């Protein structure tokens, strides 16, 4: 039987997950993984530099020097590959990268990866089966700039979404005379020594970076819509969303408060961007909603085009693993997708429910605690074991503890809690 040629775009955690589950079926799939960088790991590869690299390509990583995970390793691991037991629960980015390298070695994935390979174009070659086209993929060598065109029966997009900074439009920002930067370019707190800093955004990165720079800065103003229910450092003050900058460079908030600051630091997330997907791929990205997709994975128009890693507020590696197993099951014929109309209707219904719950369009792929039902659904569709209930309970526990004890929740060791919870089940 002719092998199904599959192009995997990206060798971060998502790309490695799909490569692992496709290459376990060598009698069905011929897998090629293309990675723009010179090494695997994607966003987990720390780079001291910002802007562009020596090849003129944008620096992909948003990793900063002292980052430790905000989820314990006990809930972060791929289901079939635990983190080393001797590591503490909240680990460094260096350890996560080592884990991904070990994962690739354990499942013999390196031989499938072409490094320094940028995907510059993907478009479908339509045939009599309108839902299952072949794909022409143009791969450009990141060093020599030479390009080649290859044909595949399926494409899996695993290029990530933490590399194109989202900077909101702030009226009068051009009047600000201090430093303006995005968390994508943040590396360490030393440039903020003695400064007054506004941090826009209080999601995970905004909270963690605020705590770190508070050790150096004179004052940190954490600007966001809500209110944190935990203790913060004495020099961190919560403020309302930033509304504008006046002509004298003073920052204004939407409740009328004003602050003179030295730095504006955007922790406002990223744009979803797939510049290599041509318009005839049928994928639209609007305000970070990627559509039309079934289960946040499969193009409803072309069933041989899929995505791993779009979902927000998740345990990445477990979700990647279940998405990958779902894709492998569909591409191998072990699982069937509904009709295009049924898939579109389900996607639209889920989106309407999100809007009704108060989420904005840009959170179309937000899961949070619903990720566990989502993974159970994918597991059922793929015919594989569902996620551990003990891991789900630990995730909910640490989420609650983070809200209550932001400054010190990472001091806990979760292994014993996970073991006790597992025994009770």
């Amino acid at each position: 039987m002719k092998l199904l040629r599959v192009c995997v775009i990206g060798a971060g955690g998502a790309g490695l997950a799909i490569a692992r589950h496709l290459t376990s079926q060598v009698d069905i799939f011929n897998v090629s993984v293309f990675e723009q960088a010179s090494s695997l790991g994607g966003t987990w590869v720390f780079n001291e530099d910002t802007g562009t690299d020596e090849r003129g390509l944008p620096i992909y990583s948003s990793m900063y020097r002292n980052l430790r995970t905000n989820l314990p390793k006990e809930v972060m691991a791929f289901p079939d590959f635990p983190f080393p037991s001797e590591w503490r629960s909240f680990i460094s980015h260096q350890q996560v990268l080592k884990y991904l390298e070990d994962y690739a070695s354990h499942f013999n994935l390196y031989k499938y990866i072409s490094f320094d390979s940028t995907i510059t174009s993907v478009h479908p070659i339509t045939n009599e089966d309108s839902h299952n086209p072949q794909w022409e993929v143009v791969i450009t060598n990141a060093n020599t700039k030479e390009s080649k065109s290859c044909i595949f029966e399926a494409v899996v997009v695993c290029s990530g979404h933490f590399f194109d900074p989202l900077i909101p439009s702030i009226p009068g920002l051009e009047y600000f005379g201090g430093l303006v930067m995005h968390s994508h370019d943040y590396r360490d707190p030393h440039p903020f020594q003695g400064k007054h800093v506004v941090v826009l955004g209080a999601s995970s990165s905004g909270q963690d970076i605020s705590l770190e720079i508070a050790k150096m800065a004179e004052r940190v103003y954490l600007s966001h819509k809500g209110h944190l229910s935990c203790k913060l450092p004495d020099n961190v003050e919560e403020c309302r969303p930033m509304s504008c900058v006046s002509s004298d460079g003073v920052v204004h908030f939407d409740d009328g408060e004003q602050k003179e600051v030295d730095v504006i630091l955007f922790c406002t997330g990223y744009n979803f961007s797939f510049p290599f997907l041509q318009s005839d791929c049928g994928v639209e990205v609007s305000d970070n909603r990627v559509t039309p997709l079934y289960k946040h994975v499969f193009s409803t128009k072309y069933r041989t085009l899929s995505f791993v890693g779009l979902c927000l507020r998740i345990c990445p590696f477990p979700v990647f693993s279940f998405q990958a197993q779902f894709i492998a099951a569909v591409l191998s014929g072990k699982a069937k997708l509904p009709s295009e109309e049924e898939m579109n209707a389900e996607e639209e219904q889920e989106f309407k429910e999100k809007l009704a719950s108060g989420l904005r369009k840009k959170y179309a792929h937000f899961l949070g605690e619903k990720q566990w039902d989502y993974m159970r659904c994918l597991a059922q569709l793929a015919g594989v074991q569902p996620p551990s209930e003990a891991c789900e309970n630990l995730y909910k526990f640490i989420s609650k503890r983070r809200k209550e004890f932001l400054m010190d929740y990472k001091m806990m060791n979760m292994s014993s809690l996970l073991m006790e919870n597992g025994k009770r089940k």
Side-chain angles (χ1 to χ4, degrees):
M1 185 177 70
K2 183 180 179 182
L3 297 180
L4 192 77
R5 295 167 295 182
V6 184
C7 168
V8 176
I9 303 175
L16 295 176
I18 186 64
R20 177 262 181 275
H21 288 288
L22 292 179
T23 59
S24 68
Q25 303 178 67
V26 293
D27 57 329
I28 300 177
F29 300 113
N30 178 359
V31 180
S32 300
V33 182
F34 299 100
E35 169 55 49
Q36 177 174 284
S38 302
S39 59
L40 61 77
T43 195
W44 293 100
V45 178
F46 174 73
N47 191 327
E48 189 80 46
D49 298 326
T50 59
T52 55
D53 62 19
E54 66 279 0
R55 303 169 300 177
L57 296 173
I59 300 292
Y60 184 90
S61 179
S62 302
M63 204 57 52
Y64 54 92
R65 186 185 309 281
N66 299 322
L67 181 139
R68 285 168 59 199
T69 59
N70 54 32
L71 290 171
K73 66 179 175 65
E74 290 79 11
V75 303
M76 280 185 61
F78 291 113
D80 55 358
F81 195 75
F83 280 90
S85 58
E86 65 270 19
W87 289 1
R88 62 182 180 177
S89 289
F90 295 90
I91 56 180
S92 68
H93 60 81
Q94 294 95 332
Q95 288 172 303
V96 179
L97 180 59
K98 176 65 165 57
Y99 169 79
L100 291 176
E101 292 169 344
D102 290 346
Y103 179 85
S105 295
H106 179 80
F107 291 109
N108 199 22
L109 303 180
Y110 276 97
K111 66 182 181 181
Y112 300 100
I113 305 173
S114 297
F115 293 107
D116 299 309
S117 299
T118 303
I119 302 300
T120 50
S121 176
V122 174
H123 85 89
I125 303 171
T126 55
N127 51 38
E128 64 278 1
D129 186 350
S130 60
H131 287 299
N132 297 284
Q134 289 186 319
W135 299 87
E136 182 183 32
V137 179
V138 178
I139 305 106
T140 301
N141 185 289
N143 298 315
T144 67
K145 308 304 181 185
E146 294 179 353
S147 297
K148 63 179 179 179
S149 177
C150 298
I151 304 298
F152 296 92
E153 278 74 51
V155 172
V156 187
V157 180
C158 309
S159 53
H161 51 80
F162 296 111
F163 59 89
D164 183 7
L166 173 59
I167 299 180
S169 177
I170 304 291
L173 187 61
E174 69 272 14
Y175 297 123
F176 186 71
L179 174 65
V180 178
M181 70 182 299
H182 190 276
S183 58
H184 178 64
D185 295 325
Y186 174 79
R187 294 298 181 264
D188 67 69
H190 291 91
F192 304 94
Q193 179 74 48
K195 306 287 188 183
H196 286 70
V197 184
V198 171
V199 176
L200 274 75
S203 222
S204 297
S205 62
Q207 292 177 17
D208 289 349
I209 291 175
S210 291
L211 294 184
E212 182 166 283
I213 65 177
K215 299 172 184 177
M216 294 284 181
E218 178 72 22
R219 197 80 183 164
V220 177
Y221 302 105
L222 184 56
S223 170
H224 65 119
K225 290 182 178 179
H227 176 72
L228 300 180
S229 57
C230 58
K231 179 177 173 56
L232 295 170
D234 293 338
N235 64 336
V236 176
E237 176 184 341
E238 291 186 84
C239 294
R240 289 288 301 166
M242 186 173 156
S243 59
C244 67
V245 177
S246 57
S247 57
D248 58 0
V250 173
V251 168
H252 296 250
F253 302 92
D254 69 6
D255 59 357
E257 193 172 3
Q258 305 176 19
K259 301 292 182 185
E260 291 188 28
V261 300
D262 307 294
V263 181
I264 296 175
L265 175 58
F266 289 100
C267 293
T268 44
Y270 296 83
N271 295 301
F272 283 39
S273 178
F274 310 100
F276 45 83
L277 293 181
Q278 302 303 304
S279 59
D280 55 359
C281 291
V283 174
E284 296 182 5
V285 183
S286 174
D287 197 13
N288 281 3
R289 184 189 182 201
V290 185
T291 188
L293 295 183
Y294 179 62
K295 303 295 185 187
H296 308 277
V297 173
F298 276 98
S299 162
T300 65
K301 182 177 182 180
Y302 297 130
R303 300 172 181 218
T304 49
L305 174 63
S306 56
F307 295 75
V308 176
L310 294 183
C311 296
L312 302 169
R313 198 67 64 83
I314 56 171
C315 299
F317 301 157
V319 170
F320 297 169
S321 180
F322 286 104
Q323 290 178 330
Q325 290 175 89
F326 178 40
I327 292 170
V330 170
L331 293 181
S332 68
K334 296 175 183 175
K336 302 295 183 183
L337 294 176
S339 70
E340 181 178 357
E341 293 74 21
E342 289 173 309
M343 291 190 288
N344 286 338
E346 180 177 315
E347 180 200 38
E348 188 61 25
Q349 179 61 32
E350 182 189 353
F351 181 57
K352 287 180 178 177
E353 290 173 0
K354 279 190 166 69
L355 295 179
S357 72
L359 290 174
R360 288 176 287 166
K361 180 179 179 181
K362 70 176 184 178
Y363 296 113
H365 301 290
F366 179 93
L367 291 182
E369 290 198 0
K370 290 186 176 181
Q371 67 184 290
W372 302 99
D373 288 338
Y374 174 72
M375 284 188 273
R376 280 189 284 269
C377 175
L378 294 187
Q380 184 177 24
L381 291 171
V384 299
Q385 286 293 315
S388 160
E389 190 174 340
C391 284
E392 178 182 357
N393 291 335
L394 182 55
Y395 172 85
K396 292 177 178 178
F397 171 80
I398 201 62
S399 296
K400 182 175 184 293
R401 187 165 181 84
R402 177 184 172 90
K403 292 177 182 177
E404 297 173 347
F405 304 101
L406 180 63
M407 294 172 63
D408 57 8
Y409 77 102
K410 294 183 182 182
M411 302 295 290
M412 294 188 69
N413 190 325
M414 299 292 149
S415 296
S416 56
L417 285 175
L418 184 64
M419 290 176 62
E420 290 172 11
N421 191 281
K423 289 176 181 177
R424 286 198 296 271
K425 301 300 175 187

